[in-house]
Amino acid sequence: MNNKAKQPRELNIELLRIVLMILIVCHHFLMRGRGLHLLYTSGSTHINNDALQGLFMDSFLIMTVNCFVFISGYYGIKLRVKTILSLLIQAITYSIGIDIVFCLFTGEQMTMDSVWNGLLSVPNGQWWFITAYFFLYLLSPFLNLAKQYLTKFQFLYILGVLTLINFIIGFTLDPSPLGVLNGYSLLSFICVYFYGQAFSTYISFNKGKLFWLCSYVICSLLIFTMFDAGLKYSTVDMAWKAFSYNNPLIMVSAVSFFFFFKNLRISYAKISFFSSSVLAIYLIHEHPRSADFLTDHLNSFATTYKIGNVYFTFLLIAVMLFVAGTMVEKIRTAVTEPCLDYLVRKFNLGRLDSEMIKK
């Protein structure tokens, strides 16, 4: 396997993961807090200047999910049984825990359905990203074999087929048998994962930070231009496809954003304290109850107490949410990880890791 995949992640990539999660939170703030999601679900052709301003901002944020998965492919996921169990426990804890918190504040009764849904939160898709990423993680040992054992031609052939399915046919036609779902799917994640592997091994662009930053900005502007043009000269559905995760422009934007950070030099080691909590932030703010709460109250709060403008206020709230969520995650980890460590030792689950990498 390529040596680059064996190296520990650099601090600049850890910073990138933090930035991406804050931008994901901002994206959801725009969609729900500003009600932009209602424009999509209603198929409305009437989009006022305020909504257009929000969508312009979102064109710079929409690449975040692809960038996350690209990072995983670039460095290669190393499957560990403990990590699988840890992710499941993390999701179950936040699913049930957040339900309990809302029940305490609203006076509702906690039901067995809520507990059952919490226990099945990963396989039943309570968080679409977590479900797709979890099964990508399970498949990763076999996906990694492609780079390890296939020739360059064979690898690029598979990448070409996945590109055809996800970014060409899946984007322009989106036939249901392919299961692309506008990029909200495991298949799309596998495609992006392969792109990460390809750039770590076969594709090399020796460009500086300015090149990648300009590429990111230009792609983001083109995404918004694509939406605006689609709205004026085509159908509403075609316009909204500009914000689909399998839009090729979004993939280029994600790759550019990654390499901009890849070219940075960061030495602040405490970044790792926060970067280990990024998935927890996603679980907390995208829980159905949290999402509904943000939809109902966020915009009025940010408008009433705005600092500068509402978008800067959203950013500040996202940063505060990240910091607070990190503290919650550290407490959760302190409680659950010793139990998980005990189970791994008790049942010698670590042996499965070595079985997975046997040749």
Side-chain angles (χ1 to χ4, degrees):
M1 186 177 291
N2 190 281
N3 288 334
K4 200 179 297 183
K6 293 182 179 180
Q7 295 172 352
R9 287 179 178 170
E10 304 96 330
L11 289 175
N12 51 342
I13 302 303
E14 297 303 300
L15 176 61
L16 171 59
R17 295 172 74 237
I18 294 171
V19 171
L20 287 173
M21 184 50 64
I22 291 173
L23 295 183
I24 284 177
V25 174
C26 289
H27 162 67
H28 291 143
F29 281 3
L30 286 174
M31 288 293 110
R32 295 199 177 92
R34 300 293 279 179
L36 299 183
H37 68 298
L38 297 176
L39 297 174
Y40 173 74
T41 55
S42 66
S44 174
T45 58
H46 177 67
I47 298 182
N48 59 34
N49 289 334
D50 191 48
L52 279 176
Q53 190 178 59
L55 289 167
F56 176 79
M57 301 290 292
D58 200 51
S59 66
F60 289 83
L61 311 177
I62 197 64
M63 55 78 210
T64 45
V65 166
N66 282 358
C67 195
F68 254 118
V69 181
F70 183 86
I71 293 170
S72 297
Y74 189 89
Y75 289 98
I77 293 174
K78 285 78 172 176
L79 187 139
R80 297 287 184 270
V81 171
K82 181 183 175 182
T83 306
I84 294 172
L85 296 175
S86 180
L87 179 55
L88 285 172
I89 291 171
Q90 186 182 35
I92 291 169
T93 302
Y94 282 113
S95 182
I96 297 176
I98 292 174
D99 271 332
I100 291 173
V101 170
F102 272 88
C103 284
L104 289 174
F105 279 95
T106 61
E108 299 176 24
Q109 292 294 318
M110 188 72 178
T111 65
M112 283 306 300
D113 283 343
S114 296
V115 175
W116 183 245
N117 288 334
L119 293 173
L120 296 176
S121 57
V122 173
N124 74 9
Q126 179 167 291
W127 298 276
W128 79 268
F129 173 85
I130 298 299
T131 299
Y133 190 82
F134 178 79
F135 286 98
L136 176 72
Y137 189 93
L138 294 183
L139 289 172
S140 63
F142 308 101
L143 299 177
N144 294 338
L145 293 178
K147 187 174 71 171
Q148 191 171 359
Y149 291 108
L150 296 183
T151 66
K152 179 179 180 180
F153 176 83
Q154 291 169 331
F155 181 90
L156 294 179
Y157 170 79
I158 293 175
L159 182 63
V161 173
L162 288 172
T163 300
L164 178 66
I165 294 171
N166 189 59
F167 289 112
I168 300 177
I169 294 176
F171 177 66
T172 57
L173 303 175
D174 198 20
S176 57
L178 291 181
V180 176
L181 301 176
N182 291 326
Y184 292 81
S185 65
L186 174 60
L187 177 61
S188 184
F189 276 25
I190 291 173
C191 181
V192 176
Y193 189 86
F194 265 86
Y195 265 95
Q197 290 192 320
F199 273 89
S200 72
T201 309
Y202 299 119
I203 304 173
S204 177
F205 292 105
N206 295 317
K207 304 295 183 180
K209 296 188 290 290
L210 182 60
F211 172 86
W212 294 114
L213 179 61
C214 289
S215 176
Y216 161 68
V217 171
I218 290 170
C219 285
S220 300
L221 293 174
L222 288 174
I223 290 166
F224 179 75
T225 301
M226 183 178 177
F227 172 82
D228 192 43
L231 202 62
K232 291 177 180 176
Y233 305 112
S234 185
T235 64
V236 178
D237 288 341
M238 285 301 298
W240 278 105
K241 285 187 75 68
F243 289 94
S244 297
Y245 288 132
N246 62 333
N247 180 349
L249 285 171
I250 291 177
M251 189 66 231
V252 177
S253 178
V255 173
S256 301
F257 201 73
F258 169 82
F259 279 106
F260 170 73
F261 274 83
K262 188 78 170 63
N263 281 277
L264 296 179
R265 294 293 175 263
I266 305 294
S267 58
Y268 187 63
K270 292 185 179 179
I271 285 173
S272 298
F273 176 85
F274 293 95
S275 64
S276 61
S277 301
V278 291
L279 280 182
I281 310 306
Y282 183 88
L283 293 168
I284 291 169
H285 91 281
E286 270 294 275
H287 186 283
R289 285 183 178 267
S290 303
D292 288 344
F293 181 82
L294 291 174
T295 300
D296 294 338
H297 303 288
L298 177 65
N299 190 59
S300 60
F301 179 86
T303 303
T304 303
Y305 302 100
K306 65 181 178 182
I307 301 173
N309 60 58
V310 69
Y311 301 110
F312 182 70
T313 306
F314 279 168
L315 176 60
L316 289 179
I317 296 173
V319 171
M320 289 188 289
L321 174 63
F322 190 99
V323 173
T326 298
M327 299 303 110
V328 172
E329 173 62 7
K330 296 304 178 184
I331 295 171
R332 184 205 66 82
T333 302
V335 173
T336 62
E337 286 301 297
C339 300
L340 179 57
D341 289 337
Y342 172 78
L343 290 175
V344 171
R345 290 194 306 269
K346 176 72 174 177
F347 297 100
N348 193 23
L349 297 177
R351 73 186 187 281
L352 299 175
D353 297 337
S354 57
E355 288 291 329
M356 189 61 69
I357 61 175
K358 277 185 177 178
K359 298 181 180 179

